[in-house]
Amino acid sequence: MKTESEELFEEICEKYGFPVERIEEGDERRPDYEIYLSGIKVIVEVKQIDVNDEEIRLLQEMESGKIVSFQNEPGARVRTKIKSSSKQIANLAKGKYPGILVLYDNTPFAVGSHLESYNIKSGMYGLEQYILNRPADLVDPINVIDAQFGPKRKMTMEHNTSISAVAVLSRTEDQVEFCLYHNCFSAIPLDPKIFLEYGIPQYCISKKRNREFQEWELVNG
């Protein structure tokens, strides 16, 4: 049985005319699909985020009329999916082909989606943190030295480089949408021009500026 995320991904491929092939399961875990973009083979793993036990409990409390508070570490569910898919993509990409991890949020939360852009950024590059000075005289004010990515990063120059981009599937009332977040550390990057011709929104992380957090920048050409 196909998951909802797999059905939506196949809809996206049909919508944009991407040639797609389902990869047969073997003895080892493999990605789900191969697609061809401008003649380039791309390895694709499709994952969906379902409600976990804690979320089920909170939903049940909401249905009973209680007021609840949802608290999730930024990017936590994204990190889990990156970890569980990176080896599968690497096994088939073999350093020859780009790879895409496609994610779909199958939870009923309209607000605070696990796949909001900030959660994607935190999942890929780590939790954001300020670097502060500690003045010798504690009477003096504490100053911000820098703002940067900190712990729990999944994308580095040495880790998960087989994932060229993380894509997000979403469904509105009448259509399926698709956007792409490029991995700046990927071993085989995807050329943004490939997706521009389809009108697919895509983002790259901004260059590091002193005392500023890096943000997603829309690729316009």
Side-chain angles (χ1 to χ4, degrees):
M1 294 289 293
K2 294 178 184 176
T3 62
E4 183 172 352
S5 57
E6 290 168 342
E7 290 178 350
L8 292 178
F9 178 70
E10 291 181 9
E11 282 187 40
I12 279 290
C13 290
E14 183 177 357
K15 175 180 177 179
Y16 291 110
F18 298 155
V20 57
E21 294 181 10
R22 180 89 183 189
I23 299 174
E24 293 184 7
E25 295 185 5
D27 294 333
E28 61 180 10
R29 296 181 65 190
R30 298 184 178 186
D32 297 305
Y33 298 94
E34 294 175 357
I35 62 174
Y36 293 84
L37 304 172
S38 298
I40 299 170
K41 182 164 79 170
V42 180
I43 307 302
V44 177
E45 173 70 4
V46 179
K47 298 280 190 184
Q48 74 180 36
I49 296 175
D50 295 312
V51 289
N52 58 25
D53 291 341
E54 174 65 10
E55 290 168 339
I56 290 173
R57 182 186 67 79
L58 292 172
L59 288 169
Q60 290 172 341
E61 291 185 1
M62 287 177 61
E63 291 174 356
S64 68
K66 293 182 180 179
I67 297 175
V68 300
S69 174
F70 288 86
Q71 296 181 352
N72 288 302
E73 181 182 83
R77 302 292 289 275
V78 174
R79 282 189 287 278
T80 299
K81 296 305 182 184
I82 291 173
K83 181 178 180 180
S84 65
S85 64
S86 59
K87 186 175 181 180
Q88 294 168 258
I89 293 175
N91 284 342
L92 212 58
K94 300 184 184 300
K96 298 179 181 179
Y97 311 109
I100 299 177
L101 169 59
V102 176
L103 300 178
Y104 172 65
D105 190 344
N106 194 40
T107 66
F109 310 120
V111 178
S113 165
H114 292 294
L115 301 182
E116 288 180 344
S117 61
Y118 182 74
N119 285 324
I120 297 294
K121 182 175 69 168
S122 300
M124 292 175 68
Y125 298 120
L127 300 175
E128 293 176 331
Q129 61 183 14
Y130 284 110
I131 307 300
L132 308 175
N133 74 337
R134 183 181 179 183
D137 187 346
L138 296 181
V139 175
D140 294 334
I142 295 176
N143 297 316
V144 175
I145 298 174
D146 201 2
Q148 63 184 30
F149 291 118
K152 300 192 176 182
R153 64 190 69 186
K154 284 299 180 183
M155 304 304 197
T156 73
M157 294 182 68
E158 292 83 30
H159 300 92
N160 302 312
T161 58
S162 61
I163 300 177
S164 306
V166 174
V168 174
L169 281 170
S170 59
R171 182 193 285 279
T172 60
E173 291 184 359
D174 57 350
Q175 60 183 341
V176 180
E177 301 293 342
F178 188 74
C179 67
L180 203 75
Y181 297 90
H182 291 274
N183 176 14
C184 67
F185 298 112
S186 65
I188 305 179
L190 282 162
D191 187 348
K193 293 179 181 178
I194 294 174
F195 299 93
L196 285 173
E197 63 180 279
Y198 296 101
I200 294 173
Q202 54 183 324
Y203 303 87
C204 291
I205 202 71
S206 63
K207 292 182 179 180
K208 182 69 179 76
R209 299 180 181 89
N210 190 36
R211 289 183 290 184
E212 293 182 11
F213 289 124
Q214 292 170 263
E215 304 292 347
W216 289 119
E217 293 182 342
L218 181 66
V219 178
N220 292 313

